[in-house]
């Protein structure tokens, strides 16, 4: 990943602390993630033990306040971490991102009792967190969610289901959006639900195209009882809380695309220098040189857009949401295209599991769908342009 350090530090002027953060994450990814990534994918293994090893390194609460064990870093710092981790395994990096989203929501929107009860065990990675918004019949239209929570004394009784939940069945805490009131966004509340809540169960692990190193299941509520004391904010605050996490989540998943695509490009450059055809290395053919040049240019443009969007979110710029949407749309599209082109450069070998390229292609494809589809990103961008 020397390419990453050179291009990032030269064009975006990362400071010494940020370069040190990259180096720390890269060392962990190289030693503990990369050697296992293909076997985790092949065996559909969720590496909870290795995920928990990131806690002492400060990755359990990257942008969480320090008084509850967080690292207190910026969104740009988080992007750097997820980019480097995903160069070892995008699915691993993406779960760390999801965990951070849930932990950050409790830290930011929870009261002091909730913060002290939940967050230290999450920042240390003793507990893992999942985020539950999507339902079988409400994806892009999140405000249409149906999972209902009815108050019964000091508890809520939940009925419904969440779909496509990463870490479901393995995570210890589920930050969940439920309907406590009227239809639409004003009737949604946020609950922190422990794994052992009565009436909580999980569906079968889904068979997926990629992200096999993550468990993905339905989260099912059948008269599930959750204390009212586990509600974040007031009733009706849930949609605001859910949307508050999406800008950062979109940057994180874009970073996961960027790192995976950079690895694919690095593999393609190395392969093109070794593979010979018609008596010379294939990197001597102009058609391939042009392809590599375009891949490098597109990834560099994606990196600068992502870093700029993260900096805007750190500064709370008025157009941070638009830039987060632009970065998510552009970087995930570019990342998938670069990985796919890298597979093509490898020819038949790219289609073989042991070369690692086809795994990157499969893992990156879902990034164009989750955290808001790239079509929804275009809607968000256009609304900012036309409503200003």
């Amino acid at each position: 990943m020397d390419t990453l350090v050179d291009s990032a530090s030269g064009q975006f002027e990362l400071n010494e602390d940020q370069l040190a953060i990259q180096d720390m994450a890269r060392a962990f990814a190289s030693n503990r993630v990369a050697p296992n990534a293909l076997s985790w994918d092949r065996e559909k293994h969720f590496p909870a033990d290795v995920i928990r090893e990131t806690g002492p390194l400060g990755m359990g609460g990257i942008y969480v306040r320090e008084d509850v064990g967080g690292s207190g870093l910026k969104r740009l710092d988080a992007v750097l971490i997820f980019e480097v981790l995903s160069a070892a395994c995008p699915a691993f990096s993406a779960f760390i991102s999801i965990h951070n989203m849930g932990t950050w929501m409790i830290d930011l929107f929870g009261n002091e009792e909730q913060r002290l009860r939940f967050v230290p065990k999450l920042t240390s990675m003793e507990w893992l967190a999942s985020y539950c918004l999507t339902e079988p019949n409400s994806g892009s239209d999140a405000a249409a969610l149906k999972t209902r929570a009815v108050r019964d004394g000091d508890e809520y009784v939940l009925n419904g289901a969440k779909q496509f939940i990463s870490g479901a069945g393995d995570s210890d805490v589920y930050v969940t959006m439920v309907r406590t009131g009227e239809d639409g966004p004003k009737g949604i509340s946020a609950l922190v639900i422990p794994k052992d809540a009565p009436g909580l169960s999980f569906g079968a692990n889904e068979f997926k195209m990629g992200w096999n190193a993550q468990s993905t299941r339905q989260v099912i509520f059948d008269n599930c009882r959750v204390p009212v004391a586990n509600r974040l904010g007031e009733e009706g605050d849930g949609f605001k809380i859910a949307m508050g996490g999406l800008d950062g989540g979109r940057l994180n998943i874009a970073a996961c695309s960027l790192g995976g695509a950079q690895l694919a490009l690095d593999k393609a450059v190395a392969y093109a220098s070794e593979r010979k055809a018609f008596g010379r290395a294939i990197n001597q053919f102009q058609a391939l040189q042009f392809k590599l040049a375009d891949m490098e240019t597109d990834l560099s443009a994606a990196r600068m857009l992502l870093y700029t969007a993260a900096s805007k979110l750190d500064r709370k710029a008025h157009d941070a949401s638009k830039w987060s949407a632009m970065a998510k749309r552009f970087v995930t599209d570019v990342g998938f295209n670069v990985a796919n082109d890298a597979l093509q450069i490898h020819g038949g070998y790219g289609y073989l599991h042991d070369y690692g390229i086809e795994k990157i292609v499969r893992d990156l494809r879902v990034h164009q769908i989750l955290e808001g589809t790239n079509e929804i990103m275009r809607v968000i961008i256009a609304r900012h342009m036309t409503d200003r």
Side-chain angles (χ1 to χ4, degrees):
M1 292 295 291
D2 289 340
T3 303
L4 170 61
V5 176
D6 291 344
S7 61
S9 59
Q11 297 174 34
F12 207 80
E13 296 182 353
L14 300 182
N15 61 41
E16 289 185 5
D17 288 342
Q18 290 166 330
L19 292 173
I21 289 169
Q22 275 187 326
D23 289 342
M24 176 273 295
R26 180 179 297 107
F28 177 83
S30 298
N31 294 327
R32 299 295 294 128
V33 181
N36 302 301
L38 288 179
S39 63
W40 292 341
D41 176 75
R42 193 165 51 246
E43 297 163 10
K44 296 179 171 57
H45 172 67
F46 180 72
D49 54 340
V50 180
I51 288 170
R52 286 192 165 92
E53 290 178 24
T54 67
L57 299 176
M59 297 186 202
I62 297 170
Y63 33 84
V64 168
R65 283 173 280 180
E66 295 176 88
D67 67 312
V68 282
S71 297
L73 298 177
K74 296 180 179 296
R75 292 291 183 161
L76 177 56
D77 302 322
V79 161
L80 299 175
I81 290 170
F82 295 127
E83 181 182 359
V84 170
L85 289 179
S86 64
C89 178
F92 182 95
S93 182
F95 182 79
I96 303 293
S97 165
I98 293 164
H99 170 90
N100 271 269
M101 179 188 288
T103 303
W104 170 82
M105 285 181 170
I106 300 172
D107 177 51
L108 184 64
F109 297 104
N111 58 37
E112 282 306 294
E113 186 276 330
Q114 291 167 336
R115 293 180 69 240
L116 294 174
R117 177 157 48 110
F118 292 111
V119 181
K121 291 187 177 181
L122 292 168
T123 53
S124 68
M125 287 286 196
E126 179 182 346
W127 288 351
L128 303 181
S130 288
Y131 174 60
C132 304
L133 176 63
T134 300
E135 296 186 359
N137 295 307
S138 66
S140 296
D141 185 9
L145 66 85
K146 299 295 184 185
T147 295
R148 182 160 291 277
V150 178
R151 186 156 181 174
D152 180 22
D154 292 333
E155 294 180 317
Y156 286 108
V157 180
L158 280 64
N159 284 282
K162 297 295 181 177
Q163 183 76 21
F164 306 129
I165 305 305
S166 293
D170 293 300
S171 289
D172 304 280
V173 168
Y174 299 83
V175 180
T176 306
M177 303 302 148
V178 299
R179 186 161 301 285
T180 54
E182 64 190 72
D183 290 343
K186 294 181 179 180
I188 296 171
S189 299
L191 297 177
V192 181
I193 303 176
K195 185 178 181 179
D196 61 358
L200 175 63
S201 62
F202 306 96
N205 197 7
E206 304 282 3
F207 290 95
K208 308 187 296 292
M209 176 180 176
W211 270 26
N212 289 324
Q214 285 190 32
S215 51
T216 303
R217 298 181 175 92
Q218 273 198 344
V219 177
I220 303 165
F221 308 102
D222 183 8
N223 290 321
C224 175
R225 288 189 168 268
V226 180
V228 173
N230 286 22
R231 187 187 67 222
L232 299 178
E234 301 298 323
E235 283 197 359
D237 286 348
F239 192 75
K240 175 188 70 176
I241 292 172
M243 294 303 103
L246 285 179
D247 283 344
R250 287 163 181 161
L251 297 178
N252 293 350
I253 209 64
C256 292
S257 283
L258 185 60
Q262 183 67 60
L263 176 62
L265 176 55
D266 292 345
K267 284 178 174 286
V269 170
Y271 180 82
S273 69
E274 299 165 359
R275 176 69 169 175
K276 289 184 170 54
F278 307 103
R280 52 179 170 158
I282 62 174
N283 67 0
Q284 299 304 303
F285 294 96
Q286 191 177 67
L288 191 96
Q289 291 175 346
F290 282 8
K291 173 61 69 178
L292 292 173
D294 285 344
M295 294 161 74
E296 174 77 0
T297 302
D298 291 347
L299 268 191
S300 294
R303 182 172 288 112
M304 293 306 102
L305 177 59
L306 175 59
Y307 288 7
T308 301
S311 296
K312 281 180 171 286
L313 190 59
D314 282 330
R315 301 195 309 272
K316 297 181 172 58
H318 72 280
D319 55 354
S321 290
K322 182 184 78 170
W323 277 78
S324 295
M326 290 194 301
K328 195 274 179 180
R329 201 290 298 168
F330 186 76
V331 180
T332 58
D333 281 348
V334 165
F336 177 77
N337 291 337
V338 167
N340 198 43
D341 285 341
L343 191 154
Q344 187 73 17
I345 289 170
H346 279 75
Y349 291 104
Y351 208 63
L352 299 181
H353 183 71
D354 288 348
Y355 278 71
I357 296 291
E358 60 87 31
K359 175 190 179 297
I360 298 172
V361 173
R362 288 187 289 106
D363 280 349
L364 296 196
R365 181 60 183 87
V366 74
H367 297 183
Q368 296 167 292
I369 299 171
L370 49 77
E371 300 290 0
T373 66
N374 284 4
E375 289 74 23
I376 291 295
M377 295 305 100
R378 291 176 171 89
V379 171
I380 293 170
I381 297 162
R383 283 177 178 170
H384 278 274
M385 297 171 67
T386 57
D387 292 347
R388 61 190 174 188

